[in-house]
Amino acid sequence: MENESTFVAPEGVYSVTEEHKPTPLAQHTIAAAPILYPTKISTVSVRFSVNKSTTSPGLSQLLGGNREKELKRVSGKEREDGQSVSSSDDPDDASPDASSTPAPDAAASPPAAPHEQASNPFSHNPGGLGKRKTAPRPKHNMRTTSSTFITRLQNADNINKALQSKQGETTFLFYNSSKTFVWTEAGAKLKVRRCYIAPACNPAIPSPQEPLARIYFSAYPTCHDVNLATVSPERIDVIIGFHTGDILWFDPISSRYGRLNKQGRICSSPCTAIRWVPDSPNLFLVSHADGTIIIYDKEREDGTFIPHEPGSSPPASFPPDGASSSSSQGEWNPLDSIYVTMPPWHPVTAGGPLPGTKPEKEKAAKNPVSHWRVSRRSIVDFVFSPDAKFLAAISEDGCLRVIDTVAEQLVDCYASYFGAFTCVAWSPDGRFVLTGGQDDLVTIFSPWEQRVIARCQGHSSFVCGVAFDDVRCDGRTYRFGSIGEDNKLILWDFSYGALHRPKLQIAHHQRMSMTSALSLALRRRGESTLYLAPSSALGAESPLPRFHPAPSRNEVAVVQPVVVKHIGSDMLTDIAFLPRGLLTANKQGHIKFWIRPLAVQPRHLRTQSAYRRASQTDAIS
């Protein structure tokens, strides 16, 4: 029977086994600073060694093996380095760079030097192949910093012992709430905990999980992501974006951090979304409220950079790409192209000196790696395709844009049925893109077919979050979830073969973009579109060949909900699926972990890593 902590799905009963709530101090901080940005969730699974010696303390416990003595010396040196970083010797405001000298750890190696890279910013060693050098750690010690940007660090008692005692796979959860950022463990085994009020104690409702660390900032964290390519028991690379445009690279294991785009040096517009490039230890993308997406390298310093605006003549050192070169000849149309500004250290422009540029020794690679102007309105969110070759970005102008990340070109632009898109997700096999929007709909797009496959009706207000359940996606049937401002958690089952195809669907096919079809067809065969000509040079009849207007209701199939669950009274803000359950977050920073009914084996036969490897093999062949 359903209650506030359970709901029934076709596969069984989901129940809340764990909750994460703000502490009294955090609640006081939240009350002092109003909540202006939604709570977002990031998760990562870390596999700790199961063969540990109970007598050997420190970092060596986490690694084991015959290198125990060497690792003891390494961990001791790290602790000494951490103590030596004082607020007077190493103030945070003294330097904008984010990284220090390489530290001895087992993380994946960074990309090759710029002269070894191919002529695009996404060239890197997939999966961290090769170990020419170790990756550096963030520069500053969060425990001893004098920065006013970080106001307080609150760690759990005996956090080092707690981490050393972990065995097997552990899932860590990161989330923001007001001006705080929280690191905790998700899906831990339920323990006997004391309830808040003894007379009303209910053993069916778990008490909140205590966080491992809580960081208080002077600015609002708005977005964050965890690097899956470098995660290990010794380090977790987390990237955090703020409403001031600042970016923080943070390792919670060592409590070290580095700042990028400090005080908005490159872009002062609020960060709206941030993502690591899949399989890259260094590169990440940030979207801003001014309609731009900027590529960063966590190990580079901030450079002096001023992007040129569409319609103006670019300087010789900033040649635009093929898609944006036509913009200098006329007014830039964001429905037909993105406007790329390449810094002097961009892989394309770093091949040789240009007239009027600085000497080569002064042109060291810095941030940003590249700068994309995507829309005149705010970018709301973006996600990568599983093979990282494409990016789906949504904006307040009501458009979903598919961007070729290698060519740095717009592939297709889809209009919403009504209003702006608010959230986006890409399916594990790369076939479908989900969006939620202000039209109260969840829409399923097929990037390869360049059309809307179906719309999901069930919400009565704006949709706030969408996510695929990898465990219940097998390539034929797809399970995904959505949450909305109506406080509904809705689960959907989508089968492409079982959809009812409306009769008027042919009329939509006649609007398909020949330019986009050519581009995606080439990419699907593994060929390059780096030199794809601008749409104006292809003689397309449509004035906007990459733009796809929204089809009417009678042209698109409708998917009905499988489960509709009302959760609490505070507005829901995010949803994420884990192998053992799902997470929901609300505006007040209240996270619930809903455990699955049974231990279900993943139904899909190929993981995202398998898709990336297959894609790389296809491209090579």
Side-chain angles (χ1 to χ4, degrees):
M1 187 173 181
E2 287 197 13
N3 54 45
E4 63 178 7
S5 299
T6 61
F7 66 84
V8 180
E11 61 271 20
V13 178
Y14 286 72
S15 58
V16 176
T17 59
E18 194 174 274
E19 295 187 12
H20 305 270
K21 293 182 179 180
T23 61
L25 176 60
Q27 290 176 342
H28 174 74
T29 304
I30 292 173
I35 297 177
L36 302 179
Y37 297 92
T39 298
K40 295 296 182 180
I41 300 171
S42 295
T43 61
V44 64
S45 294
V46 181
R47 186 171 295 278
F48 290 88
S49 174
V50 294
N51 298 322
K52 298 181 180 181
S53 173
T54 57
T55 60
S56 57
L59 183 61
S60 57
Q61 273 193 331
L62 300 177
L63 299 178
N66 55 9
R67 299 172 57 200
E68 180 176 342
K69 293 183 179 180
E70 177 185 353
L71 289 169
K72 280 185 179 181
R73 292 195 298 269
V74 170
S75 61
K77 183 178 180 180
E78 269 190 11
R79 284 192 298 271
E80 291 173 2
D81 291 342
Q83 293 295 331
S84 64
V85 179
S86 65
S87 58
S88 58
D89 296 338
D90 190 18
D92 174 65
D93 296 333
S95 176
D97 59 344
S99 61
S100 63
T101 56
D105 59 78
S109 61
H115 65 274
E116 299 174 346
Q117 295 180 347
S119 59
N120 70 80
F122 289 89
S123 298
H124 57 270
N125 294 326
L129 298 178
K131 296 184 178 179
R132 291 185 298 274
K133 65 176 183 177
T134 56
R137 293 187 182 274
K139 181 175 184 179
H140 304 292
N141 191 321
M142 189 169 287
R143 300 187 187 95
T144 59
T145 182
S146 61
S147 171
T148 57
F149 190 78
I150 301 171
T151 59
R152 177 170 179 167
L153 170 64
Q154 181 181 353
N155 284 326
D157 295 336
N158 299 320
I159 183 173
N160 292 332
K161 290 185 178 179
L163 293 176
Q164 293 164 12
S165 64
K166 293 190 180 300
Q167 298 185 13
E169 188 168 301
T170 299
T171 300
F172 290 123
L173 165 67
F174 301 89
Y175 65 93
N176 62 292
S177 179
S178 186
K179 292 186 176 182
T180 64
F181 186 76
V182 180
W183 172 37
T184 187
E185 183 178 349
K189 291 183 179 180
L190 194 61
K191 299 178 181 179
V192 179
R193 301 185 180 99
R194 183 182 61 185
C195 296
Y196 285 129
I197 304 174
C201 182
N202 183 356
I205 301 177
S207 61
Q209 176 84 8
E210 289 299 322
L212 296 172
R214 189 183 298 273
I215 313 169
Y216 299 84
F217 296 99
S218 60
Y220 286 92
T222 58
C223 49
H224 45 89
D225 194 29
V226 184
N227 195 334
L228 304 183
T230 62
V231 65
S232 69
E234 296 81 47
R235 71 180 298 155
I236 301 176
D237 289 319
V238 182
I239 205 78
I240 311 171
F242 293 83
H243 85 287
T244 56
D246 290 79
I247 300 167
L248 193 83
W249 168 31
F250 172 52
D251 178 11
I253 302 294
S254 62
S255 295
R256 289 184 170 271
Y257 76 99
R259 285 178 67 180
L260 301 95
N261 191 30
K262 188 174 179 180
Q263 298 176 349
R265 180 177 182 182
I266 297 172
C267 180
S268 59
S269 181
C271 300
T272 57
I274 194 166
R275 296 278 188 276
W276 291 98
V277 176
D279 290 336
S280 172
N282 286 2
L283 297 180
F284 63 92
L285 272 66
V286 184
S287 63
H288 292 271
D290 62 356
T292 61
I293 295 179
I294 303 178
I295 307 174
Y296 288 89
D297 187 318
K298 67 178 174 62
E299 296 181 13
R300 296 185 184 181
E301 298 181 4
D302 292 343
T304 302
F305 175 78
I306 301 177
H308 51 85
E309 296 299 323
S312 62
S313 297
S317 60
F318 290 168
D321 73 333
S324 63
S325 59
S326 60
S327 303
S328 60
Q329 303 171 2
E331 184 179 358
W332 170 62
N333 192 331
L335 302 181
D336 191 49
S337 66
I338 63 173
Y339 197 87
V340 180
T341 302
M342 297 180 182
W345 47 81
H346 189 282
V348 172
T349 61
L354 295 171
T357 59
K358 294 182 177 181
E360 194 68 26
K361 65 178 182 178
E362 298 181 24
K363 202 196 299 183
K366 296 184 178 182
N367 282 316
V369 178
S370 190
H371 181 282
W372 304 346
R373 182 165 293 281
V374 178
S375 172
R376 290 190 175 94
R377 302 287 299 275
S378 173
I379 303 296
V380 178
D381 198 1
F382 67 89
V383 291
F384 282 97
S385 61
D387 61 5
K389 294 181 179 180
F390 295 97
L391 179 143
I394 57 174
S395 57
E396 289 184 353
D397 61 3
C399 288
L400 162 68
R401 292 173 172 85
V402 179
I403 299 173
D404 186 326
T405 58
V406 177
E408 299 186 83
Q409 291 185 355
L410 179 68
V411 176
D412 284 296
C413 180
Y414 302 89
S416 66
Y417 185 77
F418 172 80
F421 288 118
T422 54
C423 47
V424 63
W426 210 307
S427 65
D429 59 2
R431 293 182 61 189
F432 304 107
V433 173
L434 281 181
T435 62
Q438 295 177 348
D439 50 13
D440 305 346
L441 298 171
V442 176
T443 306
I444 307 173
F445 293 87
S446 173
W448 297 113
E449 299 181 36
Q450 290 113 5
R451 68 184 183 94
V452 176
I453 297 297
R455 292 190 178 109
C456 307
Q457 297 181 353
H459 285 284
S460 56
S461 187
F462 294 175
V463 182
C464 300
V466 291
F468 280 94
D469 185 355
D470 289 8
V471 172
R472 303 194 65 84
C473 292
D474 59 5
R476 295 180 300 273
T477 303
Y478 299 81
R479 162 67 63 82
F480 53 91
S482 62
I483 48 99
E485 292 186 3
D486 52 7
N487 286 2
K488 290 180 183 177
L489 164 65
I490 301 183
L491 300 183
W492 316 80
D493 282 341
F494 163 70
S495 178
Y496 184 53
L499 281 179
H500 171 69
R501 291 173 173 80
K503 296 180 180 179
L504 296 179
Q505 192 182 63
I506 299 177
H508 178 68
H509 276 289
Q510 295 175 353
R511 304 192 203 124
M512 285 179 57
S513 162
M514 294 303 296
T515 304
S516 301
L518 172 64
S519 176
L520 280 176
L522 289 172
R523 292 301 295 163
R524 201 170 190 177
R525 294 199 303 268
E527 300 177 20
S528 174
T529 60
L530 183 60
Y531 301 106
L532 181 67
S535 58
S536 58
L538 296 176
E541 296 180 1
S542 171
L544 297 174
R546 291 181 173 89
F547 179 71
H548 304 273
S552 62
R553 284 183 178 271
N554 57 5
E555 294 181 68
V556 180
V558 176
V559 177
Q560 298 297 333
V562 174
V563 175
V564 179
K565 171 66 176 178
H566 291 266
I567 300 179
S569 57
D570 292 318
M571 186 179 72
L572 298 175
T573 57
D574 204 5
I575 179 174
F577 285 94
L578 298 175
R580 289 184 289 171
L582 67 93
L583 293 164
T584 58
N586 68 15
K587 188 177 180 180
Q588 299 296 328
H590 184 183
I591 315 293
K592 291 186 177 182
F593 181 85
W594 306 76
I595 195 170
R596 296 181 187 273
L598 296 172
V600 182
Q601 294 295 327
R603 288 164 54 182
H604 58 85
L605 300 180
R606 304 173 71 189
T607 62
Q608 291 192 18
S609 299
Y611 281 107
R612 295 178 194 139
R613 290 194 297 269
S615 177
Q616 293 161 3
T617 303
D618 293 342
I620 295 174
S621 60

